[in-house]
Amino acid sequence: MTDPSLDKIPITQLKGVGPALEKKFNQIGIYNVQDLLFHLPFRYEDRTRVHQIENIEVGDHVQLQGEVLSNNIQFGRRRSLQCILQDKTGFISLRFFHFSAAQKKSLAPGQLIRCYGEARRGRSGLEIYHPEYKIMPDFNSIPVAESLTPVYPTTEGLQQARLRNVIYQALSLMEHSPAVQDYLPTAIVKNLALDNLTDAVKFLHKPPIGAPLSWTSSETNSGQKRLAFEELLAHRLCMRRFRNVSDEQKAPMLKAEDGLLSTFLKSLPFTLTNAQQKTYREISDDLNGTCPMLRLLQGDVGSGKTVVAALTALHAISCGYQVALMAPTEILAEQHLTNFGQWFTPLGINVGWLSGKTKGASRTQQLLELTNGECQLLIGTHALFQDEVIYKKLGLIIIDEQHRFGVHQRLALRDKAAAGAVNPHQLVMTATPIPRTLAMSAYADLDSSVINELPPGRTPVNTAIISSTKREEVIQRIKMACGKGNQAYWVCTLIEESDALQCEAAEATTEKLHRLLPLISVGLIHGRMKPKEKMAVMAKFKLGEIQLLVATTVIEVGVDVPNASLMVIENPERLGLAQLHQLRGRIGRGSIQSHCILLYQTPLSNVGKQRLSVMRDSTDGFYIAEKDLELRGPGQVLGTQQTGLMSFRVADIARDAPLLDIVKDASETILQNHEEIVEPLISRWLGEREHYANV
Ligand code: ADP
Ligand code: MG
């Protein structure tokens, strides 16, 4: 009998994997041995040697071994267990903020341990927070690692050591019995001189000493290239297959009734830019066809996407079809409701609203109007596609995604929306220009239209880079601007990892600014406020009742206050450029000269300086997006993390950009000539996600 292939061996056959652990693994998409092998580390640690305490400096990642001298619970702002470790050369504190009584007991004075962690400056000098550690009977009982130690993506309750142990078992299974199956056509492997698949997998889990510790290293090793190629290919195949299926489907052919459209255009206080006209023509051609439109509408902040979306909606409505317009947040959906309401109500169009908060009678009424066809345009959040929402004649879906929806969510939505016999057309709008390489991957299923010019009469924002040591001067500038009747934003960026702490920081800043600027009315908006509260604050800001608005990065989306002409962004070095660009796009919406101050924390790294200079020197979103990808700071493991668009296990859009054109060609070849490997490849790399079951 031949061995079953690795994707047929359940993880429960491995030592130590019982039902409880199996559940944890399932949570991160691991069901069988192949899944384990393709669960790849995102970084490595060097535990091949033991460091001496006297040589440690802040920021070092070190492996230590020594004797526990004492262990004490300390009370302070946060309760913690402090454990002093001694080796021949000195002492250091290990600190645990989460610990059990049993753990305290096991770390008794006199106990020998080996531990690994990052040295930082703590209460008692150098400390290591939550080191990974092993109790040792004596120092020779456990050899040090012979290869780099992988660190895996994981979930709560599944410790690295556990995960590592199980994956190592899978690796030895792979070496002793069947190899992982290589699906790629030989011609492709040969042409690209790709590594052998089994070797590549092994290399990535157990790189030898001296291999780079991080994926972002510029030196791509060949094992990495092998797997990155296959991963990118699987993603692209998945999206292209979606597209091919969609192209076979029927959509309503929409021949617009021009009267309604020209009435609308005449009602606008401006004429469309050439770019707006061109993109609408592209959309219109799609709508006139018989298969569903799948189009991405890209345009910089303020380029006027909303009007194009409105024309698209009218086009469908004029043909007797319903339109659903979905936004990622309530605040943004509300903004659309205001705009579309103003534009469409005079045209006699019924505009509806549905969010998760629409309850009771108004919900029932809205659902009724949808089913009987009275409601022609429905605006809202995710709630638009809940199961009990039934459209009479849905012809078009517009998704204003602003990067809040991942690729998989988008596809899942389309699946739901297209459950009927006729498939609606789809327009996806994104506010952040996307680098070409990223668009090629993340939107491989969509055609693309770009609004590449801004409406006339805008004055580009002037941007200055200022050190936080000059905070006082910046505050004086706010005083002056507000004195002249202008309004300002003060943006607090992510200082702490947690949302709660970030909001706290914004509250503290608000108080301080309030004290320093007693004559100015200061408001606050942050992510933990209820949508109603947020909207109330925004309304006040719009009316000018609030002059200075302190905000966390939540204002990124959906805010239009033309009178706001000054924005201070604290710690801009912590944000992606695309995000900074988005934030800055909130000012410069009127005719007065606007200013953006990037108030950075010293010292600023070299890359940090370069990144902020890009912001100072350009207001072109597409240029900024390309630079953002190119200049990612260290620690940004995936180029896509900042956009939230796609996440890969091993591929890296910036690093692997040269592979993308090859991936594109290979995917077409495979779809045509090797249909049989499409499914296995997708399932290997996207696994359960492929089914997009949970939106
Ligand atoms: P975005 O692309 O960021 O969604 P909007 O659609 O919100 O941009 O448009 C930004 C502002 O520009 C709005 O106030 C809108 O009314 C205005 N606008 C849109 N198109 C034009 C145009 N062709 N001429 C002048 N102003 C325009
Ligand atoms: Mg917009």
Side-chain angles (χ1 to χ4, degrees), residues 33 113 164 269 355 380 447 449 483 505 533 556 607 655 694:
V33 171
I113 65 168
R164 214 174 281 140
S355 84
D447 298 315
S449 290
E533 298 170 338
E556 188 187 338
V607 176
R655 186 196 64 205
N694 313 302

Side-chain angles (χ1 to χ4, degrees), residues 36 135 164 207 227 262 270 281 310 322 391 523 600 610 672:
L36 281 170
I135 303 279
R164 214 174 281 140
L227 295 181
S262 58
F270 49 77
R281 269 200 306 278
Q322 289 172 308
Y391 297 82
Y600 68 90
Q610 281 183 54
Q672 273 168 29

Side-chain angles (χ1 to χ4, degrees), residues 123-144:
R123 250 182 257 173
S124 65
L126 275 188
E127 299 194 347
I128 299 180
Y129 291 178
H130 285 275
E132 222 186 278
Y133 68 91
K134 278 189 204 117
I135 303 279
M136 324 244 307
D138 64 83
F139 287 142
N140 300 322
S141 56
I142 309 172
V144 292

